[in-house]
Amino acid sequence: MQNIGGELELVGDKSLSHRCIMFSAIAEGKSKMTNLLNSGDTKATIGIFKELGVEIIEKDLNTFEVEGVGLNGLNKPTTELNALSSGTTARLLIGLLSKQNFETQLNGTDQLKRRPMKRIIEPLNAMGAKIISENDKLPVKIFPSDYEFEAITTTKPSAQVKSALLLAALYHKNFPTTISEVIATRDHSGVKSFRLGNSITIQPVNILNPINYNVPGDPSSAAFLLAIGVLVSDKLILKNILLNERRIGFIKTLKKMNANISIKNLQIIQNEPVGDIVVSKSELVGVNIDSSEVADMVDEFPIFTLLASQATGKTKVTGADELRVKESDRISAMAEFVTQLGGAIKVYEDGFEIIGAQKLNEGTVNTYGDHRIAMTAVVANICINKGIIPNNIDCISDSYPSFFDNLRLIGANYEL
Ligand code: S3P
């Protein structure tokens, strides 16, 4: 095994990067963001706001300036808007576009067209929005509508739904709006809000201020390196990672699995906790995860499944049916991954059970064009068996285009 370890900074968090672009576009004045994620998914958001008439300047790969046009300054686009494969782009924008005084059509790749949009369309239309779709999926047509709502509840444990509702609520002039969710999800709202339990209330805003922000590292991308850390590294330090309470479920789970993992240099930077994660080779044990823990590690299940296969004892996940509607059906894609390599996994509608530690043989795994399945396969190649090969690695650039550069920097070389 190569000597894997050292210190590394990661590019900015995907959720924060999308929101930085969106909120800076409708703010008044010039925003500047550094360490902004420039990936397939965030390019979709940038491309759409350019179509909506916002000037977005790429100063260098991860530094962007945005000339905000104000809440009512977006222009009617001349073409259909394309969210590519980005669920966050599509879902959040449906909320924002439903409040514009022009008509738009939103579409995406075949992968995104398979994903449910009913979770946004239904609550907004129930309040009076005019969003039309043939099968509750993309493409959607969004027509102007003067609708307003004071309170709205979402039953899906989804930050994308909550943020879409929040973007629509930003347009309310005369009264506060309360958005309630059944399970609390990531809360990078970008506007001042008051939280009471699982409800957030925002006050009417006439003007959004521009943003000046260095985006902290993405904990969901860090998860792949943390996995390498617990599997094979003497010491790996990931610096300046976003440690928002709603994003550290995977770190907490690793801790429950007996991982050597700790946080150093914790600071609060512009309302978000940021710190360094230190991790090293660990004797992992199995763990139980239930519905109350799923949202806080919702993007980390592919790499978590691989770790569970290498942990001693039983791991059981329940209440994770949301995984079925991610970039791929991540329960069945990871079940296929494990069995394809000679491992065993029991699948449920809302989760799975796996007993480790398992020997994984060489083989090609189908990533289903899902960036996080592809990165999981690369980690398996580096740490478990050089013969494990993902059938597609191009999709990795949807969320983590510097993945292979970062792997080289920690001495983890992946060669096909
Ligand atoms: C995201 C929310 C999550 C997550 C996605 C990013 C966001 O989706 O899977 O990668 O930025 O709001 P859901 O909220 O639908 O679970």
Side-chain angles (χ1 to χ4, degrees):
M1 181 67 60
Q2 317 94 301
N3 196 3
I4 294 177
E7 279 190 15
L8 189 70
E9 288 213 27
L10 265 69
V11 78
D13 179 63
K14 181 158 80 71
S15 294
L16 285 177
S17 296
H18 280 296
R19 286 162 176 78
C20 278
I21 300 156
M22 293 180 186
F23 283 98
S24 64
I26 53 171
E28 303 265 351
K30 186 187 259 169
S31 293
K32 182 169 180 181
M33 279 84 63
T34 50
N35 204 37
L36 190 104
L37 176 67
N38 191 351
S39 73
D41 280 8
T42 53
K43 276 190 171 80
T45 298
I46 291 168
I48 287 181
F49 279 96
K50 286 184 173 170
E51 287 290 343
L52 293 166
V54 180
E55 192 186 350
I56 302 179
I57 302 164
E58 191 172 330
K59 291 296 219 186
D60 65 39
L61 184 63
N62 302 108
T63 304
F64 285 78
E65 282 180 4
V66 178
E67 277 301 341
V69 295
L71 277 166
N72 297 306
L74 297 173
N75 289 334
K76 181 174 164 54
T78 49
T79 57
E80 175 181 82
L81 301 173
N82 190 347
L84 303 174
S85 294
S86 173
T88 308
T89 307
R91 298 210 176 105
L92 269 62
L93 276 170
I94 291 175
L96 180 74
L97 293 170
S98 73
K99 287 286 187 171
Q100 305 305 312
N101 60 7
F102 49 79
E103 179 188 325
T104 39
Q105 174 152 326
L106 185 66
N107 213 338
T109 59
D110 287 344
Q111 186 189 66
L112 188 57
K113 280 198 244 181
R114 285 194 288 273
R115 300 183 64 188
M117 295 295 150
K118 185 173 178 179
R119 52 187 57 203
I120 312 280
I121 299 173
E122 198 172 69
L124 288 178
N125 279 352
M127 295 293 157
K130 226 174 146 207
I131 305 160
I132 292 181
S133 147
E134 258 174 37
N135 52 2
D136 285 324
K137 297 193 171 150
L138 296 184
V140 296
K141 275 203 163 105
I142 304 158
F143 297 94
S145 166
D146 254 343
Y147 74 102
E148 292 188 324
F149 53 93
E150 281 181 54
I152 194 163
T153 299
T154 158
T155 50
K156 289 282 173 205
S158 164
Q160 295 178 347
V161 174
K162 175 179 58 184
S163 301
L165 303 177
L166 194 138
L167 279 160
L170 270 185
Y171 285 80
H172 296 155
K173 287 273 168 295
N174 302 316
F175 50 85
T177 315
T178 299
I179 299 164
S180 306
E181 46 185 355
V182 174
I183 291 182
T185 60
R186 63 187 69 186
D187 56 354
H188 317 299
S189 61
V191 286
K192 283 204 182 65
S193 59
F194 174 71
R195 176 171 281 281
L196 191 63
N198 288 349
S199 293
I200 54 166
T201 299
I202 63 163
Q203 298 299 328
V205 282
N206 291 323
I207 289 182
L208 290 175
N209 293 324
I211 300 167
N212 199 332
Y213 194 43
N214 181 46
V215 185
D218 191 323
S220 299
S221 294
F224 299 97
L225 306 184
L226 295 179
I228 294 176
V230 294
L231 289 174
V232 297
S233 173
D234 285 340
K235 188 174 188 184
L236 177 65
I237 304 176
L238 304 180
K239 294 179 75 70
N240 294 325
I241 306 297
L242 173 71
L243 296 171
N244 178 298
E245 189 60 27
R246 300 272 70 82
R247 300 293 301 280
I248 54 172
F250 179 65
I251 297 175
K252 289 183 182 168
T253 296
L254 282 179
K255 201 90 199 133
K256 285 205 271 179
M257 294 174 87
N258 195 36
N260 303 316
I261 187 164
S262 58
I263 306 292
K264 297 258 154 52
N265 300 327
L266 188 67
Q267 303 174 62
I268 304 290
I269 303 175
Q270 299 203 12
N271 290 327
E272 291 284 6
V274 176
D276 304 343
I277 311 173
V278 186
V279 70
S280 61
K281 191 165 170 17
S282 312
E283 297 294 329
L284 296 180
V285 296
V287 70
N288 283 330
I289 302 287
D290 65 31
S291 60
S292 68
E293 296 156 289
V294 170
D296 290 355
M297 56 179 284
V298 69
D299 288 335
E300 282 68 81
F301 278 91
I303 191 65
F304 167 71
T305 311
L306 181 72
L307 290 182
S309 78
Q310 302 306 297
T312 304
K314 185 162 99 177
T315 290
K316 187 169 179 181
V317 174
T318 52
D321 33 344
E322 272 298 300
L323 301 182
R324 298 241 177 234
V325 291
K326 292 293 179 190
E327 285 81 334
S328 65
D329 173 342
R330 286 182 176 160
I331 294 178
S332 81
M334 280 311 296
E336 187 184 315
F337 183 121
V338 170
T339 45
Q340 174 74 13
L341 303 175
I345 182 167
K346 203 192 258 178
V347 170
Y348 309 111
E349 193 44 41
D350 68 340
F352 58 90
E353 187 179 304
I354 191 162
I355 296 173
Q358 299 189 0
K359 179 174 180 291
L360 297 183
N361 303 321
E362 63 178 44
T364 300
V365 292
N366 191 342
T367 67
Y368 292 94
D370 181 331
H371 48 123
R372 299 199 206 275
I373 306 280
M375 286 188 274
T376 300
V378 172
V379 172
N381 170 291
I382 291 167
C383 302
I384 299 170
N385 185 330
K386 285 277 157 225
I388 299 173
I389 308 289
N391 74 337
N392 167 347
I393 52 171
D394 294 345
C395 52
I396 290 173
S397 61
D398 285 349
S399 66
Y400 194 178
S402 49
F403 183 54
F404 292 105
D405 289 343
N406 284 182
L407 290 179
R408 268 188 290 280
L409 286 172
I410 60 166
N413 293 321
Y414 168 77
E415 279 149 30
L416 273 177

